[in-house]
């Protein structure tokens, strides 16, 4: 690997590490949220994040997702989308950021965000304590990010591992309607979709020659105590089996590519015939059109619960379920039922296939990342995929 690359240890669900002063699941448990609620919240977030408007026609299969059973008035606790987060310094002040390939902005909470500090217990930025801080003051609003955040733009030194980016523009959030297990977000998608119109941190790293290669890679193994790692500026072939399969990016906005198919070939179920998909570290599940998701869920005998909008399976059946297969760039990639079924408290198990009425592409989230090594190449505009060790 290259000398100028940084390996960042990430924190997964409930991991304990000295580098993090909080444990995601712990705070979530204290809140005693009914589990269904943040899944509804998560649908709402995905809708906003990608600007998907709800389909007008009611969907079959009882899976209309247009309105949550209880619209939350207090901030939503978004503990469900926290798979990839890690430490970062802004103006020498520590924050825990979500590393999100599904957006392109960097934002952190500002000292005057009372919801961030008091309700969400996030770290907040003290501009007066940073010598390198430069105010800008232009207002920004991200209406379809993780929650709705707004504030003003600013510039400061941003450090990730040994890498220090000078004059990084970012959003300082003074208002939010969502609480997350992390303080802010660091977007890793293309500059074209940066709502703050600031050059995304990874592009600054390339421009300021802080990394040797214009690539970054994710390695997340679900069954380890740490959350895996993100390598900015390099990759490590000892973390995967065989060689990488590359798929070209079809639109340089999000990490969009053409997926050949997704399904259970062993049960004669293949959905999506050369459809659009995005690789998104910031979404937990596999999200797709209602009809396709309904088919996948029915093939494994999942039951739709109309009360909470979730597809449930008996946990004891996991070992009898088929392996999910994704066709990408002529190759087959697999996700075991242990990964695509999510065990919940009280022995409730739900599937990792979430429908979103009105969506016309697939979102390939952490369920896929957990078993695959993923390399993102911003120069050759392609994604490399291999089975993770
Ligand atoms: C690559 O990963 C292996 C396995 O975790 C590790 O032992 C090795 O140190 C890594 N290489 C570099 C250069 O970080
Ligand atoms: C928070 O602070 C910023 C920067 O000082 C200021 O522009 C903004 O108006 C403040 N917002 C609130 C809600 O106090
Ligand atoms: C604030 O940032 C915007 C966008 O990068 C830039 O066009 C503008 O000149 C900046 N304003 C100040 C006062 O620095
Ligand atoms: C995790 O690892 C343990 C021990 O190595 C194993 O028994 C268990 O089946 C693994 N779980 C998953 C989901 O792979
Ligand atoms: C991917 O893009 C490269 C460079 O633009 C091109 O040479 C190659 O043929 C493309 N591969 C496929 C399968 O389209
Ligand atoms: C459906 O979900 C509700 C709320 O989580 C739960 O109380 C109920 O038992 C579930 N129904 C079935 C049939 O599992």
């Amino acid at each position: 690997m290259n000398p100028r690359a940084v390996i960042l240890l990430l924190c997964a669900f409930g991991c304990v590490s000295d580098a993090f002063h909080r444990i995601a699941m712990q705070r979530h448990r204290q809140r005693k949220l009914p589990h269904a609620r943040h899944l509804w919240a998560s649908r709402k977030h995905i809708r906003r994040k990608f600007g998907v408007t709800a389909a007008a026609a009611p969907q079959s299969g009882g899976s209309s997702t247009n309105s949550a059973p209880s619209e939350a008035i207090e901030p939503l606790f978004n503990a469900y989308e926290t798979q990839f987060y890690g430490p970062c310094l802004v103006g020498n002040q520590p924050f825990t950021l979500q590393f999100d390939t599904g957006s392109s902005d960097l934002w952190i909470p500002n000292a005057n965000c009372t919801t961030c500090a008091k309700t969400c217990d996030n770290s907040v930025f003290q501009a007066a304590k940073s010598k390198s801080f430069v105010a800008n003051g232009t207002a920004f609003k991200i209406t379809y990010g993780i929650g709705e955040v707004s504030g003003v733009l600013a510039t400061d030194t941003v450090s990730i591992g040994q890498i220090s980016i000078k004059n990084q523009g970012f959003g300082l959030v003074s208002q939010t309607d969502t609480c997350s297990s992390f303080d802010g977000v660091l977007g890793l998608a293309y500059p074209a979709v940066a709502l703050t119109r600031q050059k995304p941190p990874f592009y600054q790293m390339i421009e300021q020659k802080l990394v040797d290669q214009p690539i970054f890679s994710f390695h997340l193994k679900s069954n380890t105590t740490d959350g895996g790692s993100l390598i900015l500026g390099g990759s490590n072939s000892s973390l995967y089996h065989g060689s990488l399969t590359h798929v070209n990016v079809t639109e340089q906005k999000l990490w969009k590519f053409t997926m050949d198919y997704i399904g259970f070939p062993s049960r004669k179920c293949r959905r999506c015939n050369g459809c659009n998909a995005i690789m998104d570290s910031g979404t937990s599940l596999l999200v797709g059109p209602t009809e396709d998701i309904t088919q996948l869920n029915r093939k494994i005998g999942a039951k739709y619960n109309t009360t909470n909008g979730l597809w449930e399976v008996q946990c004891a059946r996991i070992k009898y379920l088929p392996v999910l297969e994704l066709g990408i760039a002529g190759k087959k990639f697999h996700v075991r039922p242990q990964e695509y079924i999510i065990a919940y408290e009280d022995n409730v198990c739900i599937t990792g296939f979430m429908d979103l009425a009105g969506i016309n592409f697939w979102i390939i989230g952490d369920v896929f990342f957990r078993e695959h090594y993923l390399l993102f190449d911003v120069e050759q505009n392609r994604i490399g995929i291999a089975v993770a060790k």
Side-chain angles (χ1 to χ4, degrees):
M1 207 177 67
N2 291 281
R4 279 186 303 173
V6 61
I7 303 169
L8 204 62
L9 293 180
L10 299 174
C11 196
F13 252 11
C15 86
V16 190
S17 160
D18 288 339
F20 305 98
H21 36 269
R22 280 197 311 274
I23 302 161
M25 284 308 283
Q26 204 171 56
R27 194 176 57 180
H28 175 59
R29 284 201 197 97
Q30 284 163 357
R31 290 272 162 189
K32 287 199 176 66
L33 277 189
H35 69 259
R37 177 127 162 247
H38 63 241
L39 265 186
W40 281 108
S42 136
R43 275 202 181 89
K44 184 173 157 191
H45 292 147
I46 295 167
R47 214 174 259 300
R48 285 200 303 211
K49 178 172 175 179
F50 299 107
V52 177
T53 49
Q59 304 291 315
S60 59
S63 39
S64 168
T65 58
N66 295 358
S67 62
S70 59
E71 273 291 327
I73 290 151
E74 84 249 41
L76 299 166
F77 281 78
N78 171 27
Y80 212 64
E81 299 179 66
T82 59
Q83 299 282 352
F84 293 105
Y85 57 94
C88 170
L89 294 174
V90 179
N92 229 17
Q93 298 168 35
F95 295 93
T96 300
L97 300 183
Q98 183 195 43
F99 292 92
D100 179 21
T101 62
S103 68
S104 301
D105 296 287
L106 168 63
W107 59 261
I108 53 166
N110 198 2
N112 65 3
C113 178
T114 44
T115 308
C116 304
K118 298 215 172 93
T119 315
C120 305
D121 191 27
N122 288 141
S123 298
V124 295
F125 185 75
Q126 315 275 355
K129 289 187 183 162
S130 171
K131 290 195 185 80
S132 43
F133 177 79
V134 180
N136 174 303
T138 303
F140 83 96
K141 185 175 193 179
I142 301 182
T143 48
Y144 50 96
I146 289 166
E148 206 157 66
V149 296
S150 61
V152 293
L153 298 183
T155 301
D156 207 329
T157 301
V158 172
S159 307
I160 303 168
Q162 323 83 288
I163 291 178
S164 262
I165 310 165
K166 295 213 165 31
N167 308 314
Q168 172 67 51
F170 58 93
L172 261 181
V173 168
S174 47
Q175 276 183 315
T176 181
D177 67 356
T178 308
C179 289
S180 297
S181 313
F182 37 83
D183 304 313
V185 172
L186 190 148
L188 289 163
Y190 287 91
V193 290
L195 297 168
T196 54
R197 305 217 173 136
Q198 304 300 296
K199 187 174 284 182
F202 193 63
Y203 287 82
Q204 292 276 18
M205 289 182 194
I206 295 168
E207 193 177 281
Q208 296 178 21
K209 299 190 167 52
L210 303 172
V211 286
D212 280 350
Q213 287 179 279
I215 58 172
F216 55 88
S217 41
F218 280 94
H219 177 248
L220 176 98
K221 279 298 263 186
S222 60
N223 209 3
T224 54
T225 45
D226 63 46
S229 58
L230 164 64
I231 305 177
L232 294 165
S235 72
N236 182 345
S237 59
S238 4
L239 297 174
Y240 57 85
H241 295 284
S243 55
L244 295 164
T245 294
H246 291 104
V247 62
N248 284 344
V249 169
T250 50
E251 186 185 50
Q252 288 162 36
K253 289 183 175 172
L254 297 167
W255 287 94
K256 197 179 202 176
F257 63 98
T258 303
M259 181 162 72
D260 305 337
Y261 63 87
I262 183 169
F264 304 108
S266 65
R267 297 201 181 176
K268 298 193 169 51
C269 173
R270 267 193 187 191
R271 310 299 301 182
C272 150
N273 186 8
C275 59
N276 286 319
I278 61 158
M279 209 57 96
D280 183 13
S281 64
T283 296
S284 293
L285 308 181
L286 296 171
V287 182
T290 302
E291 204 195 314
D292 298 313
I293 293 294
T294 302
Q295 287 298 321
L296 290 184
N297 280 319
R298 289 200 173 140
K299 275 288 168 188
I300 55 170
K303 299 253 177 341
Y304 186 75
N305 182 330
T306 46
T307 312
N308 59 20
L310 302 175
W311 290 87
E312 297 171 354
V313 289
Q314 286 164 6
C315 300
R317 287 188 53 231
I318 292 179
K319 55 179 177 286
Y320 305 113
L321 297 179
V323 166
L324 177 75
E325 188 172 288
L326 280 74
I328 302 172
K331 295 268 170 55
K332 296 170 177 168
F333 295 95
H334 297 109
V335 182
R336 296 177 308 137
Q338 288 81 357
E339 301 294 342
Y340 70 69
I341 299 292
I342 288 124
Y344 251 104
E345 67 262 18
D346 304 331
N347 209 26
V348 176
C349 281
I350 59 154
T351 79
F353 312 131
M354 183 192 272
D355 68 286
L356 201 63
I359 201 170
N360 58 5
F361 59 94
W362 286 74
I363 303 171
I364 308 302
D366 298 347
V367 162
F368 185 76
F369 280 64
R370 284 205 285 268
E371 291 200 289
H372 297 92
Y373 187 90
L374 289 159
L375 185 147
F376 295 82
D377 187 329
V378 308
E379 198 171 79
Q380 296 192 66
N381 298 306
R382 60 185 194 175
I383 303 169
I385 312 168
V387 176
K389 275 186 188 164

